[in-house]
Amino acid sequence: MPVYQQEQLLGLDDIQRVQQPPIHPDQSIQQRFEAFHALNPWVLRHLEALTQDCVAKGFRRVGIGMLFELLRWRYGEATHGDAFRLNNNFRSRYVRLLIERHPEWARLFETRALHAA
């Protein structure tokens, strides 16, 4: 059984309602990402599980957009349709965090230079 499905069987209860940090107009994308991630560490765990499932299935490339949409779908199932506000501006930050934690996945993701701090 794929790793992600195993984790699902262990419990969708790890999917929690998203907590949104206060927004300050002078914050950078990185600062907003760090505040969001601090309140929602389960998002990274699920992105890791989804990526590991892709690796187990032999994917040579993985798109963070696909992972975000899969997570949005799973969130909707786990919370009975609660709106999942996962900022697309955080995609590049999550990819870099995934690669930092799993350097062997660097070949899976395409990264570009960050334009905004």
Side-chain angles (χ1 to χ4, degrees):
M1 178 177 301
V3 173
Y4 187 63
Q5 287 180 356
Q6 289 172 2
E7 288 206 5
Q8 287 176 7
L9 293 177
L10 295 175
L12 280 176
D13 352 337
D14 190 40
I15 292 182
Q16 303 159 11
R17 293 211 183 270
V18 169
Q19 297 180 50
Q20 295 293 341
I23 297 174
H24 303 287
D26 57 333
Q27 284 184 319
S28 67
I29 293 172
Q30 184 64 33
Q31 290 169 321
R32 285 184 279 149
F33 167 73
E34 290 170 4
F36 178 86
H37 177 59
L39 292 173
N40 302 283
W42 65 269
V43 170
L44 178 62
R45 288 192 300 271
H46 278 271
L47 291 172
E48 285 176 317
L50 285 166
T51 303
Q52 183 57 47
D53 190 41
C54 290
V55 168
K57 289 178 177 169
F59 284 37
R60 298 179 126 184
R61 302 294 284 170
V62 176
I64 190 65
M66 175 191 70
L67 299 179
F68 263 42
E69 295 310 321
L70 285 169
L71 186 53
R72 285 179 171 126
W73 175 264
R74 298 300 297 145
Y75 185 82
E77 287 182 327
T79 62
H80 306 290
D82 186 34
F84 183 39
R85 299 187 200 314
L86 182 57
N87 190 330
N88 284 337
N89 290 336
F90 298 161
R91 289 178 179 196
S92 62
R93 273 53 180 191
Y94 273 115
V95 165
R96 284 167 173 75
L97 195 50
L98 287 168
I99 292 170
E100 179 183 313
R101 292 170 55 105
H102 305 275
E104 69 278 13
W105 291 351
R107 63 179 172 75
L108 296 172
F109 295 102
E110 178 181 343
T111 58
R112 299 181 183 142
L114 294 175
H115 295 288

Coordinates of all heavy atoms in Angstrom, one line a residue, residues 9 27 42 80-81 103 111:
L9 N -4.9 5.9 6.5 CA -5.5 4.9 7.3 C -5.2 5.1 8.8 O -5.9 4.7 9.7 CB -5.1 3.5 6.9 CG -5.6 3.1 5.5 CD1 -5.0 1.7 5.1 CD2 -7.1 3.1 5.4
Q27 N 5.1 42.7 6.0 CA 5.7 41.4 6.1 C 6.1 40.9 4.7 O 5.3 41.1 3.7 CB 4.8 40.4 6.7 CG 4.7 40.5 8.2 CD 3.9 39.3 8.8 OE1 2.8 39.0 8.2 NE2 4.3 38.8 9.9
W42 N 1.2 20.5 10.3 CA 0.7 19.3 9.7 C 0.7 19.4 8.2 O 0.7 18.4 7.5 CB -0.7 19.0 10.2 CG -1.7 20.1 9.8 CD1 -2.1 21.2 10.6 CD2 -2.5 20.2 8.7 NE1 -3.0 22.0 9.9 CE2 -3.3 21.3 8.7 CE3 -2.6 19.4 7.5 CZ2 -4.2 21.7 7.7 CZ3 -3.5 19.7 6.5 CH2 -4.3 20.9 6.6
H80 N -15.1 18.2 6.0 CA -16.5 18.3 5.5 C -16.7 19.6 4.7 O -17.7 20.3 4.9 CB -17.5 18.2 6.6 CG -17.3 16.9 7.4 ND1 -17.5 15.6 6.8 CD2 -16.8 16.7 8.6 CE1 -17.2 14.7 7.7 NE2 -16.8 15.3 8.8
G81 N -15.8 20.0 3.8 CA -15.9 21.1 2.9 C -15.5 22.4 3.4 O -15.7 23.4 2.8
P103 N 17.0 16.0 1.1 CA 17.8 16.4 -0.1 C 17.7 15.4 -1.3 O 17.9 15.9 -2.4 CB 19.2 16.4 0.5 CG 19.1 16.4 2.0 CD 17.7 15.8 2.3
T111 N 13.0 24.1 -9.2 CA 13.0 25.4 -8.4 C 13.6 26.5 -9.2 O 14.4 26.3 -10.1 CB 13.8 25.3 -7.1 OG1 15.1 24.9 -7.4 CG2 13.2 24.2 -6.2

